[in-house]
Amino acid sequence: PLDEIRKSSSNVTFAPGYATEEVDQVLIDEAVAVAKDTEVAIVFVGTTWKIESEGFDRAHMRIADSHLALLSEVTKVNKNVIVMLSSGSTVEVHQFEKDVKGIFHLWYPGQAAGQSIADILFGKVSPSGKLSETFPVCLENTPTYKSEGESDVEVEYKEGLFIGYRYYDSKKIPTQYPFGHGLSYTTFAYSNIQLSKKTLKNNDVLEVSVDISNTGKMTGKEAVQVYVHDVESQYTRPNKELKAFAKVELKPGETKTVTMTLDERAFSYFVPHLNRFAVESGEFEIQVAASAEDTRLTDTVEFISNDEVKIA
């Protein structure tokens, strides 16, 4: 990343800030001296192999101690801090979120990461990624927290259907960042939801169409998400489930119609006494959203099913 950033700007200074997970005050002081005299401080932080890797469970959701200490000191001398955050799964950001101007979550990027990072930082392209998992506020809020570590040789999946966003949404638990969340250098408006049918039967296909408009000043991409909410069911169900998504690229001022298809499986669930997936007759709400917590448009459809899902 440093090489590619220097290709985009001739006025770049660098300090390592840390060498290991352990706090090195000398390295932090050097980084603070650099950050104090610069317009913008770009700080790369994240998890390390001692915190997160294959073969063992994570003990916490924090980034490395040396990285937290570096951010704590740099944000005291520079109010324009951009955090480049790398991890393989969710991490806490509450320790520094309020003190920085932006956070880019990089996950663990590939060998072309440097150029991609520079292109986004300098506005050559607009970021368009959406989170593929929920970022919880704390470890204790996760659905597996109480069962984690009960045995060294066995893991019981006690959360059942309530994993990820299904858990946080159904239990009304606040999140740090919801599933499907992602910011951009432009803005998007959702309008004109259309369903191809208002009544469905077995083997039918439902087309969900929506108009997406770029209301900002830069070309960008939006990931449109469709969730299905079973209004009333005799079985315990998540509040809603993601059933389709599509990504659309739009120029400033441009509007495109995005169409996503839901088949019978999108409305079904596994019925134990039938030993197969089946659909329960009733009303389903179709939610078009920008994330699991940002529903923009809704409509309803009635499903008249031949499946006998009730237990005799």
Side-chain angles (χ1 to χ4, degrees):
L2 180 60
D3 293 339
E4 296 298 329
I5 289 171
R6 281 177 167 158
K7 291 178 182 179
S8 298
S9 175
S10 59
N11 188 21
V12 177
T13 53
F14 171 76
Y18 53 80
T20 67
E21 294 81 3
E22 302 299 323
V23 177
D24 187 325
Q25 195 59 47
V26 173
L27 293 180
I28 291 179
D29 290 343
E30 291 176 356
V32 168
V34 169
K36 187 183 299 184
D37 297 325
T38 187
E39 182 181 358
V40 177
I42 304 170
V43 184
F44 284 76
V45 297
T47 57
T48 66
W49 68 270
K50 289 186 178 180
I51 297 172
E52 180 180 30
S53 183
E54 296 183 38
F56 63 87
D57 293 328
R58 293 172 62 187
H60 56 76
M61 287 172 46
R62 299 187 304 277
I63 62 175
D65 290 340
S66 56
H67 301 190
L68 283 173
L70 173 65
L71 275 173
S72 177
E73 295 300 315
V74 168
T75 53
K76 292 177 183 178
V77 300
N78 193 309
K79 300 305 179 184
N80 294 316
V81 176
I82 300 171
V83 175
M84 312 303 288
L85 178 60
S86 291
S87 68
S89 54
T90 60
V91 290
E92 297 173 354
V93 301
H94 64 81
Q95 298 94 337
F96 55 84
E97 181 185 35
K98 67 181 184 299
D99 298 319
V100 302
K101 288 295 179 69
I103 301 173
F104 286 88
H105 197 274
L106 309 175
W107 301 104
Y108 286 144
Q111 63 185 156
Q115 182 177 347
S116 300
I117 289 168
D119 286 348
I120 291 174
L121 279 173
F122 289 91
K124 293 181 180 179
V125 295
S126 177
S128 61
K130 296 294 186 84
L131 290 179
S132 55
E133 59 180 307
T134 305
F135 274 49
V137 173
C138 60
L139 184 63
E140 289 78 8
N141 282 4
T142 58
T144 58
Y145 175 71
K146 291 184 178 180
S147 59
E148 174 73 18
E150 289 182 341
S151 170
D152 292 334
V153 294
E154 294 181 352
V155 177
E156 184 178 353
Y157 293 93
K158 296 181 179 180
E159 66 273 23
L161 294 174
F162 294 91
I163 57 174
Y165 71 89
R166 300 171 183 83
Y167 173 76
Y168 301 100
D169 182 56
S170 300
K171 303 297 182 181
K172 308 301 179 186
I173 296 175
T175 64
Q176 185 172 239
Y177 300 113
F179 171 84
H181 170 76
L183 300 181
S184 170
Y185 291 153
T186 188
T187 53
F188 301 96
Y190 290 55
S191 63
N192 193 31
I193 183 173
Q194 297 286 335
L195 304 184
S196 61
K197 297 180 179 181
K198 291 297 291 182
T199 303
L200 295 175
K201 296 181 181 180
N202 297 90
N203 299 317
D204 281 351
V205 171
L206 178 69
E207 290 188 343
V208 181
S209 297
V210 60
D211 292 343
I212 307 297
S213 303
N214 185 338
T215 54
K217 298 180 179 180
M218 184 174 182
T219 296
K221 298 178 182 179
E222 175 69 341
V224 185
Q225 302 154 49
V226 173
Y227 296 84
V228 174
H229 164 59
D230 192 347
V231 175
E232 185 176 356
S233 175
Q234 65 172 325
Y235 291 91
T236 301
R237 303 290 303 151
N239 182 51
K240 64 174 177 282
E241 295 177 279
L242 179 71
K243 295 299 181 180
F245 62 92
K247 200 164 193 176
V248 58
E249 183 174 13
L250 297 166
K251 298 176 182 178
E254 184 179 14
T255 298
K256 289 182 180 178
T257 300
V258 178
T259 301
M260 291 154 284
T261 301
L262 303 180
D263 58 14
E264 182 178 339
R265 185 62 178 264
F267 302 91
S268 68
Y269 52 85
F270 189 81
V271 180
H273 73 270
L274 296 179
N275 197 34
R276 64 178 176 85
F277 282 82
V279 181
E280 182 178 9
S281 294
E283 184 181 26
F284 292 84
E285 184 178 66
I286 308 300
Q287 304 177 3
V288 179
S291 79
E293 294 182 7
D294 187 7
T295 299
R296 301 293 182 91
L297 301 167
T298 63
D299 202 346
T300 58
V301 64
E302 188 77 15
F303 205 115
I304 302 173
S305 175
N306 293 326
D307 299 324
E308 184 52 66
V309 301
K310 294 183 179 180
I311 302 175

